[in-house]
Amino acid sequence: PAPLGKKMADILGDVQGAKLEPEAGQGALAQYLGANATLVEVSPLHCDILKQKGYENVVCADFIKWSESTVKTALRFAGILMNPPFSEGRATAHLDAALSLLDNKGRLVALVTTAMAERYSPVGYDKEIQPIAYNEFKGVSVDLAILILNK
C-alpha cells in the first residue's frame, strides 16, 4: 500500500548516491526512489510497465543472478528499498544478495515478516526493526515489519 511504501521511503531517507529496488514489480516502491534508480524485475511485462512509467534504469533479470554478476563490478548502492519474496526462505537469499551490493555507509530498508526481521542479523550491520500495524497491509496473513540495516 502507498502509505506503507512512503513510510519505508521516509526511513530510507535522502541517501546520497545510487538507489536500487530489487523485485520492482510495477514500481510501488520505485516511485519514491526517482526516475534514475536501478530497478531489477524478472517479469518482462512489469519491465515494460516500469519503462512506460519513465524509469531509466530498468533491468529485466532475476535479481539473485543479476546480483551475482553485479557484485563483481564496482557498482554499489547507497540506498536499497525492497519487498523480497517471503515464500520458501527466499527472503534470506534476496536480502543477502542486496547487502552484497550495498555501499559503505549505505542503508537497506525491507518489508519482511516479523520472524525474519528478528532472526536476520548480518555481521557488520546496525539493525533496527519497526513493526507494521495490522491495518497497514490488509490481506496479509503474517505479521510484518520494516527491517532497517545500516552498514
Side-chain angles (χ1 to χ4, degrees):
L4 182 54
K6 174 79 167 87
K7 180 178 183 177
M8 291 173 64
D10 289 345
I11 292 168
L12 182 66
D14 187 24
V15 296
Q16 299 301 308
K19 297 175 189 126
L20 170 68
E21 185 192 352
E23 308 91 24
Q26 295 183 28
L29 294 176
Q31 66 181 315
Y32 303 106
L33 296 178
N36 63 345
T38 299
L39 310 179
V40 181
E41 172 55 43
V42 70
S43 163
L45 175 61
H46 289 170
C47 289
D48 287 343
I49 291 168
L50 292 168
K51 290 173 185 174
Q52 289 173 13
K53 287 183 175 182
Y55 295 104
E56 300 166 5
N57 299 317
V58 177
V59 179
C60 198
D62 173 273
F63 175 65
I64 299 294
K65 291 178 183 174
W66 180 82
S67 68
E68 289 169 353
S69 61
T70 303
V71 77
K72 296 172 187 171
T73 71
L75 181 59
R76 294 296 178 267
F77 298 91
I80 300 174
L81 191 59
M82 65 189 296
N83 179 7
F86 299 162
S87 65
E88 301 168 4
R90 293 184 298 157
T92 300
H94 284 252
L95 286 167
D96 289 347
L99 287 179
S100 74
L101 300 173
L102 192 63
D103 203 357
N104 286 330
K105 301 192 188 274
R107 174 177 278 191
L108 179 144
V109 178
L111 180 65
V112 296
T113 64
T114 300
M116 174 61 155
E118 290 171 351
R119 77 172 175 268
Y120 190 77
S121 296
V123 176
Y125 294 86
D126 293 326
K127 176 172 106 171
E128 181 184 341
I129 300 170
Q130 289 195 9
I132 299 296
Y134 176 73
N135 62 352
E136 283 186 86
F137 202 129
K138 294 180 181 173
V140 175
S141 61
V142 293
D143 291 331
L144 298 176
I146 298 172
L147 173 65
I148 305 145
L149 298 169
N150 294 299
K151 192 169 187 181

